[in-house]
Amino acid sequence: MLRTALRNVFAHKARLLMTMLAVLLGVAFVAGTLVFTATISDAYKKSSQQGFTNVDVAIQRDDDDSDDRPSGVPDFTQRTLEQAAALPGAKSATGDASGFAALADKDGKLVGDGWATNGGNYYAGPDGKGTDPRYDMKRGKAPTRAGEIAIDWKTADRTGYKVGDTARMSVDGPVRDEKITGVFKTDDGNVAAGGSLVLFDNTTAQRLFTKPGEYTKINIQAKSGVTQAQLKREADKILPRDAEAETGKTLADDEAKEIENNLSGMQTAMLAFAGIALFVGIFIIANTFTMLVAQRTKELALMRAVGASRRQVTRSVLIEALLVGVVAGVVGLGAGVGIGAGLRALVGKLGEMPDGPLIISPSTVLTSMVVGIVVTVLAAWLPARRAAKIPPVAAMGSMHAPSSTRSLVVRNTIGALFAGAGIALVLYATSMDDGKAPLGLGAGLLLIGVFVLTPLLSRPLIAASAPVLRLFNVSGKLARQNAVRNPRRTAATASALMIGLTLITGLTVIAGGIQNAIDKMASDSLKADYTVSMANFSPLSTDVEKTLQKQPEVTTTSALRTVRATVKGDVKDLTGVNGKTIGDLTSLDWKKGSFAGLSGGRNAVVDEDAAKDQGWKVGSHFTATFQDGKKEQFTISGLYKGNEMIKGIMVDNASVTPHMHKVTDMQVMAKTKGGATSATKDSLEKALGDNPAVVVQDKEDLSESIAQFINIMLNVLYGLLAMAVIVAVLGVINTLAMSVFERSQEIGMLRAIGLDRRGIKRMVRLESLVISLFGGVLGIGLGVFFGWAAGDMIGSSIDTYELVLPWGRMAIFLALAAVVGVLAALWPARRAAKLNMLAAIKSE
Amino acid sequence: MTTSTRPEYPAGGPQQGYPAASPSAAGTAAAQATDLSKVYGSGETQVVALDRISVEFRRAEFTAIMGPSGSGKSTLMHCMAGLDSVSSGSARIGDTELTGLKDKKLTQLRRDRIGFIFQAFNLLPTLNAIENITLPMDIAGRKPDQQWLDRVIQTVGLSGRLKHRPNQLSGGQQQRVAVARALAAQPEIIFGDEPTGNLDSRAGAEVLGFLRNSVRELGQTVVMVTHDPVAASYADRVVFLADGRIVDNLMDPTADAVLERMKSFDAKARTS
């Protein structure tokens, strides 16, 4: 039997190629997705990893807010550091003073945009003459005084800065021109990913990031022979208030866990894609083998007639599947790695992808091979059993192309149950506050239900295309009838496309709604023409507001400051605003009261949701305990409707500034004469020193910057789904080619009685178009439904959210489905037109 | 001489009510082959399927082409019907020379002027009986002549089954649909390739009866390839082929006479 199977594989090269291609694609799709997701996950993981190699014990802020005041910015003094260094088990100790630091490249652009751009201290020992064990100077020397910096080696490579160059940078707003004195090596993950790290001398770093003489963290290195636990016990004795000591191992473990958590959402999404890939892959393979066996009915019946047993027939089909699976699995894995690499390069071009090696994990290889081999064999199992049941007489009779005669009743019942349950769950989810789980489950059920029901749906939906197809005369009529001829096959072909389009449409609908909501928020709640902030929302120097106020075109400004305070035992962020001007810069929906009375006083305004939580009314009082331990009492003077941009408790800056450890702004709002124009924006940017780190945004920029994020996400998803579409195209080609092959006698007859080549081609193309559009319509319809349901849930947390149907994009998707149909039919149609018509007439 | 295999056809003389294509100036030949050769392959493997054949199929005549397997009878029909290309010589339908026609013209000619009845796969399984019957006219974008259509359907006795799909019809009924399709478009000539090859003798007799009626009553021209002497006995004339040549010609054949001739060819073939 093995020989027969082998012969079979090689005897029909075209058929073999088609089958191989189907399996190969399925495997490539799965492997590509797995490689891509593993690569991305790994790169992101590395990017958020800090080296803990030189840290045995760290003294850091205790995040536990058991106190009645929020733990503030840590303040480890030089004394603590020296105490730590003097611990019997300590070899050395360094202090961290770090924070945001933006560096401009030679063209004035922000280096490492999208990644963390950090600044830190070079701690050269208490006397300032030693070396910092954390940073190894590769070239030049460490910074020793204000005006000098060292940059990391990757940034040096990326920007082309050399020792001795002057670089423009910014830490909290004002522009600084610094001389580069050194380039250092670091294993910091963020730097490896694409961020930057700039080192200042210790004093300057403290002035910029903490306060003179203070550190955010103290790192201790153990003497050889001293364990981390021993060192920790020693360090525990010198801990200041609100601080804790942790071993390097605990820190590394915690970090790993945290990274894992942060990435879990992404990994779930990626796994979902891999799952879809697997599903589509399995589908194409099963479909192909079913057709393959159907085509070979006669051949297999002949084998039965000459004495092969059922088991032998089954086995020959399975062996064939195994051979195909192994070869296609290996080739598909290779192709998948290529796809993964290509996708990464594509996403990398969008600038949102950390550097990192291509990850081909054993599980990727294993999964791909399992898909290739096991799925192929399993997919061949049912057809093989069917093949074995072919009666030997079938070899004798001439037969028409087999049409599915098995009843669809069971299938339809199951499908209807699934779809019904799915719809019910989705609807139920939209009525819940947090219906993610039922929504996901419902969506899954509905998708499966529709998928099972596709054969049933194919008839009415394709019948609906009749008026259009009538324009194409006989070709159109025959195309339509051929499309519904084998509902199972049509359904299987359309499904691959349907799944892809469902996801694409759903995501687009949600993204469109969110985009719209953000636009609305920005235009509804802001009166300010500009907001000024740091590139990554790190604190802004108060000088920025002063500079803005000096500009002739600026009429009104307000700085926004965020302060943590404990209110009724909970830590809250209080937003400090300029009580005099804030009313001119924002437009809030007041339920009661207003900004009036905020200025200078001990009043506060709060959004109604927060007020409801706390049971506050206008006139209620509350006490806030600040980080410095002092308390203030506030009276509620206004209630407004909050949104994603403005919400929470707002008080006057005068009430919070005295309690801030270091006075900085989060944002400055400004209004200008004549509103927002590009000239005004240029002039403001210039006034702020063309600073790479400071972002001046008008309302449009604001929504655009958020939109950009959404768009990048959409692009990545489109990229992944594009693969699903490619696979769908090949699936359609496969089905059509096989159908043409099956119907060659019919086609020959049609040619004989006078349908010309063009008519035949048109018939095949229209059939393909109809099937593709069928899949497209189903997919887009489902996508809109899911988008609506998910949006409804989002809408409960974003007030301005409303369903916006992206008609333009939906039209594009439908056109895409049509293009898929036309492209997929190119080759099968040519093949059909070239068929020898005598084949039909010569009796077998 | 027996006539038992040749049932009487309904009363009504030949040529009656003949509304088919107008007779052309070229006289009575509906199709004509002159020095027609068909050669497959070249050199050592060359096979001569038709060897300089000249034959004429007359209007309103039912001709059967007979011969043993490999005699070239199917090839002759394919070449005459514009289904296959010709190596040399000429093949004409009416006044139209087929050799040298481009595929498009040839397709049109088959569509508008020729009717076909094959042994199998005559019908599209997705179309019902009436749709299959009008298919050639649908392809051409012509409206069928309703009166003529009704008459054809009546003649082949399919009135009650027009909405049936082929898989709901018996083999005989399917072939009758095929006959109706060939007749409905009122072609100049109908070619049949073993039209009764897959049928039992009763259904076969029915189909052959219809073909003969169409010739006698409707003035249709029919050329049929067959290897069955009984089928050939329905024809007005039998042309015998052997080794790619026409070896004999028999007018008003009976099954026995045809069988006799066939035997003599076999004997000749064995002795030569």
Side-chain angles (χ1 to χ4, degrees):
Chain A
M1 276 330 265
L2 177 67
R3 208 175 55 200
T4 322
L6 270 173
R7 284 267 166 81
N8 252 326
V9 171
F10 293 110
H12 310 278
K13 291 210 184 64
R15 191 192 290 165
L16 172 79
L17 269 177
M18 293 302 282
T19 321
M20 285 274 196
L21 195 64
V23 180
L24 194 151
L25 279 172
V27 174
F29 191 21
V30 172
T33 312
L34 288 177
V35 167
F36 180 61
T37 53
T39 302
I40 281 202
S41 305
D42 183 74
Y44 273 103
K45 205 179 271 182
K46 286 220 178 91
S47 78
S48 40
Q49 229 161 32
Q50 309 164 359
F52 281 106
T53 38
N54 290 325
V55 180
D56 288 317
V57 167
I59 299 177
Q60 59 186 19
R61 181 173 111 197
D62 187 358
D63 276 322
D64 188 7
D65 288 314
S66 55
D67 234 327
D68 67 341
R69 65 168 186 146
S71 50
V73 177
D75 37 10
F76 300 119
T77 58
Q78 184 68 29
R79 214 183 115 239
T80 316
L81 176 58
E82 275 163 32
Q83 276 177 336
L87 288 175
K91 183 178 157 209
S92 70
T94 53
D96 274 359
S98 57
F100 174 80
L103 180 73
D105 65 14
K106 286 176 175 172
D107 300 326
K109 292 239 174 61
L110 183 61
V111 176
D113 200 4
W115 299 103
T117 54
N118 293 329
N121 60 328
Y122 186 88
Y123 181 69
D127 54 358
K129 285 181 185 142
T131 53
D132 192 325
R134 293 173 297 177
Y135 306 111
D136 173 21
M137 279 301 154
K138 214 175 142 219
R139 287 195 290 275
K141 58 182 190 59
T144 51
R145 64 171 88 82
E148 292 182 349
I149 55 166
I151 61 173
D152 70 83
W153 56 333
K154 292 265 172 152
T155 302
D157 278 355
R158 277 192 279 260
T159 56
Y161 278 135
K162 287 193 187 65
V163 173
D165 286 351
T166 302
R168 166 169 287 204
M169 58 178 306
S170 174
V171 174
D172 54 0
V175 175
R176 320 164 60 91
D177 283 318
E178 311 271 356
K179 190 168 168 242
I180 299 171
T181 59
V183 173
F184 62 90
K185 251 167 102 169
T186 175
D187 58 355
D188 185 89
N190 176 54
V191 167
S196 66
L197 179 60
V198 173
L199 294 183
F200 297 92
D201 68 281
N202 200 39
T203 320
T204 310
Q206 284 177 333
R207 194 167 49 73
L208 288 171
F209 301 121
T210 57
K211 267 184 171 179
E214 289 186 0
Y215 299 98
T216 47
K217 202 173 94 182
I218 289 168
N219 311 303
I220 315 171
Q221 217 176 342
K223 275 182 187 150
S224 60
V226 179
T227 64
Q228 290 192 342
Q230 282 171 330
L231 190 59
K232 179 180 179 316
R233 276 195 295 279
E234 290 175 12
D236 279 339
K237 288 174 201 144
I238 58 159
L239 287 183
R241 199 180 157 183
D242 280 344
E244 61 174 1
E246 287 292 357
T247 62
K249 190 178 171 306
T250 315
L251 289 173
D253 290 350
D254 287 353
E255 186 190 49
K257 230 179 265 168
E258 196 176 325
I259 291 170
E260 207 61 49
N261 277 339
N262 291 342
L263 287 176
S264 74
M266 191 169 81
Q267 264 165 342
T268 313
M270 295 287 187
L271 271 181
F273 278 110
I276 293 162
L278 202 66
F279 188 70
V280 175
I282 289 176
F283 222 69
I284 287 188
I285 296 170
N287 208 7
T288 309
F289 264 91
T290 310
M291 286 192 275
L292 210 61
V293 171
Q295 270 179 25
R296 289 208 338 230
T297 308
K298 271 203 172 171
E299 198 180 303
L300 294 172
L302 183 68
M303 275 170 64
R304 293 272 288 125
V306 299
S309 72
R310 280 193 178 184
R311 268 189 58 194
Q312 279 174 315
V313 169
T314 311
R315 214 184 303 149
S316 89
V317 174
L318 285 182
I319 290 171
E320 191 179 334
L322 188 70
L323 287 174
V324 169
V326 170
V327 176
V330 172
V331 182
L333 180 64
V337 171
I339 290 177
L343 268 184
R344 191 187 59 154
L346 197 76
V347 179
K349 276 221 175 101
L350 297 171
E352 287 300 314
M353 176 83 194
D355 292 341
L358 205 60
I359 305 294
I360 305 160
S361 67
S363 71
T364 302
V365 176
L366 197 71
T367 314
S368 308
M369 291 314 285
V370 164
V371 170
I373 298 166
V374 177
V375 168
T376 307
V377 171
L378 278 183
W381 182 259
L382 268 184
R385 275 176 51 95
R386 223 173 290 152
K389 285 195 187 136
I390 292 169
V393 239
M396 271 60 109
S398 69
M399 43 150 243
H400 284 274
S403 62
S404 80
T405 46
R406 279 178 303 139
S407 156
L408 289 167
V409 172
V410 177
R411 182 168 178 161
N412 289 343
T413 314
I414 295 171
L417 283 177
F418 268 91
I423 291 175
L425 260 176
V426 169
L427 290 180
Y428 170 65
T430 57
S431 68
M432 287 169 64
D433 279 345
D434 180 26
K436 261 184 231 146
L439 181 72
L441 187 65
L445 283 179
L446 179 55
L447 204 59
I448 294 173
V450 170
F451 176 66
V452 175
L453 279 178
T454 349
L456 179 73
L457 295 171
S458 68
R459 283 185 188 278
L461 274 175
I462 289 176
S465 66
V468 182
L469 287 176
R470 219 163 271 149
L471 297 175
F472 298 96
N473 300 329
V474 179
S475 298
K477 183 174 168 186
L478 293 176
R480 176 166 59 82
Q481 278 166 336
N482 283 336
V484 290
R485 184 172 186 168
N486 189 337
R488 278 193 176 81
R489 185 186 297 176
T490 299
T493 314
S495 297
L497 199 60
M498 175 189 91
I499 292 167
L501 281 180
T502 299
L503 293 169
I504 295 182
T505 311
L507 290 169
T508 310
V509 168
I510 297 171
I514 292 177
Q515 172 68 54
N516 181 57
I518 290 164
D519 282 355
K520 238 173 146 179
M521 249 182 250
S523 56
D524 284 3
S525 53
L526 283 187
K527 272 199 264 177
D529 295 316
Y530 294 103
T531 65
V532 179
S533 59
M534 288 299 259
N536 64 345
F537 293 100
S538 59
L540 196 63
S541 159
T542 51
D543 291 345
V544 171
E545 191 188 9
K546 285 177 198 143
T547 313
L548 285 174
Q549 280 167 342
K550 277 183 209 143
Q551 301 311 307
E553 57 268 61
V554 175
T555 54
T556 318
T557 63
S558 170
L560 273 68
R561 285 171 194 163
T562 307
V563 189
R564 297 178 95 198
T566 312
V567 176
K568 283 201 191 167
D570 290 328
V571 176
K572 298 261 179 206
D573 280 331
L574 300 193
T575 307
V577 297
N578 184 334
K580 281 193 208 103
T581 56
I582 190 72
D584 297 331
L585 296 165
T586 54
S587 152
L588 295 179
D589 183 3
W590 291 100
K591 296 296 163 192
K592 230 171 202 170
S594 69
F595 279 127
L598 199 63
S599 162
R602 289 277 174 268
N603 285 340
V605 295
V606 63
D607 70 82
E608 50 179 354
D609 290 341
K612 205 189 268 171
D613 285 349
Q614 302 285 347
W616 290 339
K617 294 194 188 75
V618 168
S620 305
H621 305 286
F622 69 89
T623 307
T625 311
F626 290 97
Q627 285 167 349
D628 57 3
K630 300 206 173 93
K631 294 173 200 263
E632 295 266 9
Q633 206 189 36
F634 293 95
T635 309
I636 310 281
S637 64
L639 292 179
Y640 65 94
K641 193 165 188 302
N643 62 36
E644 287 300 298
M645 272 192 177
I646 303 177
K647 64 176 169 191
I649 309 169
M650 280 191 269
V651 297
D652 192 73
N653 274 335
S655 340
V656 294
T657 309
H659 309 291
M660 290 179 82
H661 188 76
K662 183 171 162 67
V663 181
T664 52
D665 297 336
M666 274 311 292
Q667 201 183 51
V668 179
M669 290 183 180
K671 214 172 157 134
T672 54
K673 283 179 201 149
T677 63
S678 57
T680 313
K681 187 176 170 184
D682 284 349
S683 122
L684 290 187
E685 275 172 350
K686 204 165 171 210
L688 293 169
D690 279 330
N691 190 317
V694 174
V695 185
V696 179
Q697 287 177 308
D698 59 23
K699 284 179 213 170
E700 237 170 78
D701 295 333
L702 264 181
S703 29
E704 243 167 52
S705 67
I706 302 172
Q708 197 189 357
F709 173 70
I710 296 176
N711 278 338
I712 286 172
M713 278 204 9
L714 270 186
N715 283 342
V716 172
L717 295 175
Y718 283 165
L720 276 169
L721 291 168
M723 248 190 331
V725 173
I726 292 172
V727 173
V729 172
L730 291 155
V732 178
I733 295 180
N734 211 351
T735 316
L736 279 179
M738 296 228 181
S739 295
V740 164
F741 181 81
E742 271 180 22
R743 295 183 203 144
S744 51
Q745 275 163 319
E746 264 175 62
I747 292 168
M749 192 272 285
L750 275 169
R751 290 273 294 125
I753 66 166
L755 189 61
D756 58 10
R757 293 213 162 103
R758 266 181 50 206
I760 298 280
K761 272 189 194 168
R762 196 182 294 151
M763 179 181 83
V764 176
R765 276 195 213 121
L766 285 174
E767 180 184 349
S768 168
L769 196 64
V770 164
I771 294 178
S772 301
L773 283 178
F774 168 58
V777 166
L778 274 189
I780 293 172
L782 272 181
V784 168
F785 179 69
F786 290 145
W788 164 79
D792 213 53
M793 252 170 52
I794 296 168
S796 60
S797 59
I798 304 177
D799 281 331
T800 46
Y801 185 92
E802 62 184 69
L803 182 68
V804 184
L805 286 185
W807 292 109
R809 292 227 170 163
M810 275 156 63
I812 291 175
F813 296 152
L814 199 62
L816 187 77
V819 171
V820 166
V822 173
L823 279 182
L826 280 181
W827 178 67
R830 270 175 67 93
R831 214 177 110 131
K834 277 192 181 161
L835 270 178
N836 182 359
M837 60 185 139
L838 290 176
I841 302 144
K842 281 180 183 150
S843 41
E844 305 203 332
Chain B
M1 175 165 174
T2 57
T3 52
S4 59
T5 53
R6 195 172 161 177
E8 286 305 313
Y9 47 87
Q15 307 293 328
Q16 191 197 34
Y18 176 56
S22 62
S24 74
T28 51
Q32 194 175 14
T34 315
D35 281 338
L36 184 69
S37 291
K38 176 73 183 174
V39 179
Y40 294 106
S42 60
E44 291 272 302
T45 58
Q46 178 171 309
V47 175
V48 179
L50 298 176
D51 190 5
R52 294 193 302 281
I53 283 187
S54 294
V55 67
E56 201 182 273
F57 300 111
R58 283 187 290 273
R59 269 182 211 290
E61 193 176 70
F62 187 176
T63 312
I65 303 175
M66 287 206 75
S69 288
S71 62
K73 57 186 190 300
S74 282
T75 310
L76 174 63
M77 192 212 95
H78 293 156
C79 290
M80 293 304 297
L83 292 168
D84 207 350
S85 63
V86 172
S87 302
S88 70
S90 135
R92 302 160 84 89
I93 295 289
D95 285 342
T96 312
E97 176 63 55
L98 300 189
T99 51
L101 276 190
K102 288 261 157 45
D103 180 73
K104 203 174 165 183
K105 287 268 172 220
L106 213 52
T107 306
Q108 260 174 27
L109 177 120
R110 288 198 305 266
R111 187 185 75 191
D112 298 335
R113 296 171 64 184
I114 302 177
F116 287 99
I117 306 165
F118 306 121
Q119 180 178 359
F121 299 106
N122 266 301
L123 309 179
L124 283 190
T126 53
L127 300 180
N128 61 30
I130 183 69
E131 285 171 325
N132 264 300
I133 292 172
T134 57
L135 187 59
M137 285 164 279
D138 279 350
I139 292 173
R142 274 190 284 136
K143 277 248 175 280
D145 173 347
Q146 196 57 48
Q147 252 186 318
W148 175 250
L149 193 61
D150 289 345
R151 186 165 169 197
V152 166
I153 292 164
Q154 199 92 53
T155 312
V156 295
L158 283 166
S159 306
R161 307 209 165 261
L162 292 181
K163 295 287 171 197
H164 286 53
R165 294 269 170 110
N167 60 7
Q168 297 164 311
L169 298 173
S170 70
Q173 285 167 335
Q174 287 185 24
Q175 281 313 74
R176 272 148 61 190
V177 174
V179 172
R181 184 190 63 202
L183 288 171
Q186 304 174 38
E188 285 173 39
I189 186 165
I190 293 175
F191 287 102
D193 190 358
E194 305 266 13
T196 56
N198 276 354
L199 300 180
D200 61 55
S201 57
R202 228 197 65 175
E206 240 175 41
V207 168
L208 289 164
F210 289 129
L211 284 176
R212 192 175 56 190
N213 282 355
S214 71
V215 174
R216 301 271 159 94
E217 294 176 31
L218 312 174
Q220 185 63 59
T221 311
V222 176
V223 175
M224 171 181 76
V225 168
T226 184
H227 62 265
D228 174 11
V230 177
S233 73
Y234 282 78
D236 298 318
R237 170 188 170 214
V238 181
V239 173
F240 293 93
L241 249 71
D243 297 329
R245 290 177 199 192
I246 293 181
V247 290
D248 207 345
N249 200 6
L250 183 67
M251 298 301 288
D252 294 324
T254 62
D256 290 340
V258 171
L259 202 57
E260 254 349 279
R261 296 282 172 106
M262 291 290 285
K263 277 183 191 155
S264 70
F265 301 142
D266 281 355
K268 266 189 226 162
R270 268 193 293 278
T271 52
S272 62

